[in-house]
Amino acid sequence: MHTFVRPSTFTLEDVDRKLKAAKFALPTTQQFSPPDSSSEDGSSPETDYFPEIPSDEVRPLEQCIAIFEKGPRPVSASLALLNDEEIIQLANAGKIAAYALEKLLGMDALERAVRIRRALISRASSTKTLESSTIPLENYDYSRVLGACCENVVGYIPIPLGIAGPLTVDGVSYPIPMATAEGTLVASASRGCKALNAGGGVSTVLTADGMTRGPAIDFPSAVQAGKAKAWVDSEEGHGVLQRAFESTSRFAKLKSLKTALAGRTLYIRFTTTTGDAMGMNMISKGTEKALDALQKRFPEMVVLALSGNYCTDKKPAAINWIEGRGKSVVAEAVIPGHVVKNVLKTTVEDLCNLNIKKNLIGSAMAGSIGGFNAHAANILTAIFLATGQDPAQNVESSMCMTLMEPTNGGEDLLMSVNMPCIEVGTVGGGTVLAPQQGCLEMLGIKGAHPTQPGKNAQTLARIIASAVMAGELSLMSALAAGHLIRAHMTHNRSQVNTPAASAPVTPGPQSNPVLAQLSRSAKAAFSPLTPLSPSMSSTSLNRLRK
Ligand SMILES: CC(C)(COP(=O)([O-])OP(=O)([O-])OC[C@H]1O[C@@H](n2cnc3c(N)ncnc32)[C@H](O)[C@@H]1OP(=O)([O-])[O-])[C@@H](O)C(=O)NCCC(=O)NCCSC(=O)C[C@@](C)(O)CC(=O)[O-]
Ligand SMILES: NC(=O)C1=CN([C@@H]2O[C@H](COP(=O)(O)OP(=O)(O)OC[C@H]3O[C@@H](n4cnc5c(N)ncnc54)[C@H](OP(=O)(O)O)[C@@H]3O)[C@@H](O)[C@H]2O)C=CC1
């Protein structure tokens, strides 16, 4: 193993370990044999095989292979002697796997690896657009991505970042970072923040903190599975599994083990603290170790999967809604009646009525689990993207029940959001990426908390619940006042890049005079230059659009 180390988060040894899937063997220094010194044309083989500077000219494949396989070590030094087109030749000849380019080119050529991969993928695809595409490639710290965030990287996708607020949460004022492509979201959350701040801000309560993993384990019979369940539930069993589990991390402390049988299959839901990490790698590592200990006690058992969906990760599940997963937060605020009227353009009575009919009864009618809200997922996901969270966990993280009731003799609004599954971290995952770290830094919660592990991640969960409340308040008000479509036509419809040519052709306005008339009316009604009549409800507009 070479020792070519760059000042970076990862060494090549790390990358080598993480990319062990690359199946072609690299010649080691010991295997290196200099090229045959007797050249037929009498030219110096040194010159043929080790040109100092890669030229623009593309040399024959055989010569490139010779440099790659017999050139100086480490292999990154050999590849530095080849130009991009020559490396593309090697990859097309099966000598280099496109996904292992970073490993082969070395830590100081990460952007080059991405550029070459783009060319390879582009030329292999039927559209061939990637190489010259608008997907950005430069000015990105790929060393943070490698072995941590993404494979087969061809660039990065910038998402607009807006700031809502600031919002006062537990007495501290926070700017709310939101990465989104849905116009109106930041405006809506900002209006909600303004209304919440006017009432003194949001207070939060953290009711639980624990990540979960639920493996599935088969036994020969339900009786044997039942014996294992009883042992796991016992003090002795819990202790054995806990010791094994906690040996894997400084931060994972096992809080509970919940067991359930389905025939001869045993499910165990491990719940653990995870410090400032969201914790899925951490808990999975601990669970694997605990299952090794269980296997020693019950050799007949078969671990079907580390995840048996009893966790439940990245899927809707009642167990999360009822028991919580990640951080469980209740956020509460009082919004003065005059603020409801002047900032939100509605009334306490209308808001409370709509909340019951929409967020509670409407969701119950729809058979919802954890969907007793208007758009918690909107605000939560935008903050997830801005702060480097795992976006797929928005499934359970955005479970939320929004409650509203009149207070102070009906004058003011008492509001809460109840979010039992906010799965966030300030270390690990996408939080290692520099822009995402910038957002966490802005909130004062970047990385590990220096003295109380877990406090930064908990603060992030409190901020998210409070920002969700701002979004709920503003959207519910817009719905109650009939302002939804007006706002979206102003903030959420591109006038530049929505070409007329994308209009439907068959059947279309051109071929149907009635539809053509409707289309013109709708266009006039939706133009941001022509504000909608306040009396025009979103329902009537929707009818118009059809
Ligand atoms: C990682 C692998 C693919 C290795 O799998 P492997 O079989 O050891 O890989 P291999 O070296 O034999 O290579 C097989 C192929 O994999 C690809 N491949 C292999 N390595 C690379 C690489 N570095 N970059 C790009 N592609 C790669 C590549 O296509 C390669 O073919 P080749 O090109 O060599 O002929 C496998 O172990 C795997 O798929 N693991 C599953 C990981 C996963 O899906 N994680 C998702 C996150 S888990 C989660 O978020 C949700 C969860 C788990 O909680 C949900 C639940 O509750 O179930
Ligand atoms: N494996 C899986 O099944 C799944 C993985 N994921 C992915 O998992 C990744 C996140 O995993 P996660 O476990 O959160 O992060 P990491 O895998 O990055 O683990 C956190 C690391 O940070 C260390 N650490 C240092 N300081 C702290 C601190 N104050 N609090 C907590 N940890 C600290 C931990 O130490 P120590 O070693 O002592 O624990 C650990 O090594 C994401 O990329 C996510 O997408 C998502 C879903 C499922």
Side-chain angles (χ1 to χ4, degrees), residues 213 249-251 274-282 284 313-314 390 393 427-429 448 453:
R213 181 47 104 200
S249 165
R250 292 159 293 163
F251 302 94
T274 54
D276 286 309
M278 175 276 286
M280 276 316 288
N281 277 341
M282 189 185 281
S284 302
D313 192 38
K314 302 179 178 175
D390 187 330
Q393 289 183 322
V427 303

Side-chain angles (χ1 to χ4, degrees), residues 19 21 23 99 151 213 280 307 309 313-315:
L19 289 178
K23 290 186 285 295
Y99 62 74
E151 300 79 40
R213 181 47 104 200
M280 276 316 288
S307 169
N309 282 3
D313 192 38
K314 302 179 178 175
K315 293 160 285 272

Side-chain angles (χ1 to χ4, degrees), residues 476-506:
M476 290 297 285
S477 300
L479 285 169
H483 290 169
L484 180 68
I485 285 295
R486 182 168 72 178
H488 277 256
M489 290 306 113
T490 304
H491 296 294
N492 187 213
R493 175 166 283 184
S494 171
Q495 300 299 306
V496 184
N497 290 319
T498 310
S502 64
V505 176
T506 316

